Amino acid sequence: MGTLTIFDHPLIQHKLSILRDKETGVKEFREIVSEIANLMCYEATRDLQIEEIEIETPVATAKCGRLAGKKLAIVPILRAGLGMVEGMLDLIPSAKVGHIGLYRDPETLQPVEYYCKLPPDIGQRDVFVVDPMLATGGSAAAAITFLKEHGCHHIRLMNIIAAPEGVEKVQSEHPDVDIYTAALDEKLNDHGYIVPGLGDAGDRIFGTK
Ligand code: PRP
Ligand code: URA
């Protein structure tokens, strides 16, 4: 079973409280989604492999660590996942970015795919799938299935708020995938929204409502 990690870092929790506030405007919301993604990326990349190398400093030879593991890819689930990309690229600038466009049908809550563009070598990369919200888990599970069909073996999922239903779906369909989130909320409401959640992440990032 993949792990579920809830980041309880005080800075992440503080920023999340601002995201949840219905009075927070679009500009601040977008900035904070990016800042949280940045902090989560720092925490989630702790286990990246490094190799020891020698560097000549102006004074002497220093043994240093340099990233040595597989190359990385960030795959946002459109639209809301886009809000997390820059914050992650700040820390892992050589990661490639793939895009998977999925929206939830408001009636069935099933994910509908409308766009996909992945780096050609995605199967050789370790992948971070990013989406602020894990609700029913339908979108994330579909995106991960799609990536596996493209040869990806090491996939992690990074959300800002997750519902228990979504965690359960991803863990049952993809037990090899580790999930990172800043909060595990109580439940979904009848419309598939996370309670208490933060509302519609895509609309709040892009100002579409
Ligand atoms: C939201 C969110 C996730 C999905 C989560 O996207 O960003 O992708 O819903 O719900 P699920 O876990 O039940 O699948 P939405 O479909 O609203 O599209 P948007 O990002 O374009 O607004
Ligand atoms: N998508 C969102 O943006 N918010 C929710 O609460 C659930 C799905």
Side-chain angles (χ1 to χ4, degrees):
M1 179 69 74
T3 57
L4 171 66
T5 305
I6 301 168
F7 291 127
D8 59 359
H9 193 291
L11 290 177
I12 295 177
Q13 292 304 313
H14 175 79
K15 289 174 191 295
L16 178 57
S17 75
I18 300 170
L19 285 192
R20 287 191 192 274
D21 188 337
K22 66 180 182 191
E23 302 300 335
T24 299
V26 171
K27 177 176 180 289
E28 193 180 8
F29 190 92
R30 190 166 49 228
E31 287 167 356
I32 290 177
V33 165
S34 189
E35 288 170 13
I36 291 178
N38 184 279
L39 293 167
M40 291 181 77
C41 181
Y42 179 77
E43 294 280 1
T45 49
R46 273 182 190 282
D47 64 348
L48 292 185
Q49 285 175 14
I50 55 169
E51 62 185 354
E52 192 175 87
I53 58 163
E54 290 193 344
I55 295 285
E56 294 303 325
T57 80
V59 180
T61 303
K63 290 193 195 309
C64 303
R66 182 175 280 177
L67 287 175
K70 277 168 66 184
K71 292 181 175 159
L72 303 174
I74 304 166
V75 177
I77 301 177
L78 308 184
R79 283 177 305 169
L82 285 175
M84 298 176 71
V85 173
E86 285 302 321
M88 294 193 66
L89 282 175
D90 278 350
L91 295 188
I92 46 172
S94 56
K96 295 273 173 69
V97 182
H99 295 87
I100 297 181
L102 294 172
Y103 70 87
R104 259 191 352 172
D105 183 293
E107 302 297 326
T108 65
L109 300 183
Q110 292 305 304
V112 181
E113 189 195 320
Y114 61 90
Y115 184 77
C116 177
K117 185 79 180 171
L118 299 172
D121 61 350
I122 190 80
Q124 278 78 59
R125 291 176 179 267
D126 287 349
V127 180
F128 286 97
V129 174
V130 297
D131 190 331
M133 308 306 274
L134 181 65
T136 65
S139 304
I144 294 166
T145 299
F146 195 69
L147 288 165
K148 287 181 175 174
E149 287 167 0
H150 281 75
C152 298
H153 298 294
H154 190 209
I155 301 170
R156 308 181 221 211
L157 175 62
M158 199 179 293
N159 308 115
I160 295 180
I161 300 181
E165 294 88 334
V167 170
E168 201 180 310
K169 181 165 177 81
V170 171
Q171 286 186 330
S172 67
E173 291 189 18
H174 301 290
D176 53 312
V177 170
D178 291 333
I179 303 172
Y180 304 90
T181 186
L184 180 63
D185 274 12
E186 190 189 327
K187 60 178 182 183
L188 298 178
N189 67 15
D190 293 343
H191 304 288
Y193 276 85
I194 300 175
V195 181
L198 51 70
D200 188 306
D203 282 342
R204 295 195 68 187
I205 290 170
F206 296 109
T208 42
K209 217 170 238 171

